[in-house]
Amino acid sequence: MKKVIGLIILCFCTLSFAQNYNFGKNPAAGKILHLKDADIYYEVYGKGRPLFLLHGNGGSIDAFAKEIPTLSKHFMIIAMDSRGQGKSTDASKEPLTYRKFADDVKLLADVLKLKKINILGWSDGGNTALEFAIKYPARINKIITSGANVFPAGVGENEVQSMKRDVAEKTAQQKPQSEIRLIQLMIDEPKITKEQLNNIKAKTLVVAGENDLILRSHTGYIAKEIPDSKLKIYKGASHGVPVERAEELSKDVIEFINKP
């Protein structure tokens, strides 16, 4: 669990940069999608082909503070806080799933009248991107995942056991259920099968850091099983590629989406 907490801290290392642009707290760009069991906060920047930015567990829009200025010059950026995170709320009672997060993305795309979208997802956001491509194949063009996993053990069994202990401790301490549910999500999810990966039709770029939280073998497995996908490992980077290699990642995203 220490590695996961480190990731969350890393997400917020972008805060000082984000404050310059107010990403995640920009009333001029921010709107709320009201759903029956959640309010989804999102911000829109730029014009062109739509690119959704999906942050990691416990993060928010400002996780992509370093990418938005560059990417918004090329695409219509839709940066959203996943339910129960950032400025988004969650009134649902059932366990969280990445499929539910993917449904939220689809509903937002519907409201914005976007027939086909691209997604850049970091960590949990990458998992959501894969679930979206599986569930809504006609609505996705290209996806870029950074540090995604397709089953919990992709982070290593020791890390899973650490998260289980953390949930037990927080439950005993009567910590907020919203906090516990986000950790439980990573213990239970995702549950993406080899067959589902084989059937993904969207063009996919799978990236990870050389020292990523996600096992290298697991990242390789994802890239191998998605037909015609591309794989890139960022040398020297950790799970925080969008923070540590923002300029390089933005360049790769632009090239990948613009390539016919």
Side-chain angles (χ1 to χ4, degrees):
M1 188 58 196
K2 291 180 180 178
K3 291 182 179 178
V4 176
I5 295 298
L7 162 64
I8 294 172
I9 292 173
L10 181 59
C11 288
F12 288 103
C13 284
T14 62
L15 184 57
S16 60
F17 187 96
Q19 286 176 337
N20 295 330
Y21 293 88
N22 245 2
F23 295 132
K25 299 178 181 178
N26 185 352
K31 294 182 179 180
I32 296 176
L33 170 64
H34 298 287
L35 303 176
K36 65 179 182 179
D37 60 359
D39 285 342
I40 305 299
Y41 178 80
Y42 66 99
E43 295 178 357
V44 179
Y45 299 92
K47 297 179 181 180
R49 282 172 286 183
L51 173 60
F52 278 66
L53 304 184
L54 307 180
H55 61 77
N57 193 289
S60 61
I61 290 170
D62 65 11
F64 291 102
K66 292 184 176 182
E67 281 80 14
I68 294 175
T70 299
L71 294 179
S72 62
K73 294 177 182 178
H74 299 265
F75 312 109
M76 174 186 179
I77 297 299
I78 303 96
M80 59 186 286
D81 286 340
S82 298
R83 62 168 56 222
Q85 299 164 75
K87 294 181 69 175
S88 292
T89 65
D90 175 36
S92 66
K93 301 301 180 183
E94 67 274 10
L96 294 173
T97 69
Y98 297 114
R99 291 178 298 284
K100 184 69 171 177
F101 289 174
D103 291 340
D104 293 341
V105 174
K106 189 261 186 185
L107 290 170
L108 180 52
D110 288 346
V111 167
L112 296 175
K113 295 180 170 34
L114 302 173
K115 294 182 178 180
K116 212 159 191 176
I117 66 173
N118 303 284
I119 300 176
L120 165 59
W122 177 11
S123 195
D124 274 25
N127 303 348
T128 300
L130 293 173
E131 292 283 15
F132 188 95
I134 291 165
K135 190 169 184 179
Y136 302 107
R139 301 295 298 275
I140 188 72
N141 181 33
K142 295 183 180 182
I143 60 176
I144 303 95
T145 67
S146 179
N149 61 302
V150 294
F151 47 80
V155 301
E157 190 56 38
N158 288 341
E159 193 64 35
V160 174
Q161 293 304 317
S162 177
M163 288 189 286
K164 288 180 178 179
R165 289 192 295 272
D166 199 43
V167 164
E169 291 174 3
K170 290 181 181 298
T171 300
Q173 296 166 0
Q174 297 185 327
K175 295 290 186 179
Q177 275 300 307
S178 58
E179 184 178 332
I180 295 172
R181 291 173 81 214
L182 282 172
I183 302 173
Q184 191 65 48
L185 169 65
M186 295 185 288
I187 296 171
D188 297 336
E189 293 267 329
K191 299 174 182 175
I192 298 173
T193 67
K194 178 177 180 293
E195 182 180 9
Q196 287 175 316
L197 290 176
N198 294 164
N199 288 327
I200 288 178
K201 300 296 190 294
K203 292 184 178 180
T204 305
L205 173 61
V206 178
V207 309
E210 182 181 24
N211 305 308
D212 209 291
L213 169 67
I214 306 300
L215 300 177
R216 176 74 68 84
S217 58
H218 191 77
T219 298
Y221 166 76
I222 295 171
K224 176 177 178 292
E225 297 303 334
I226 297 176
D228 302 318
S229 69
K230 306 297 181 184
L231 172 64
K232 178 171 181 178
I233 302 298
Y234 288 72
K235 187 175 181 180
S238 72
H239 193 56
V241 169
V243 175
E244 300 166 6
R245 296 289 191 276
E247 184 176 348
E248 186 178 358
L249 176 62
S250 294
K251 179 176 178 291
D252 290 339
V253 169
I254 293 166
E255 290 181 355
F256 182 68
I257 293 179
N258 284 339
K259 187 175 181 180

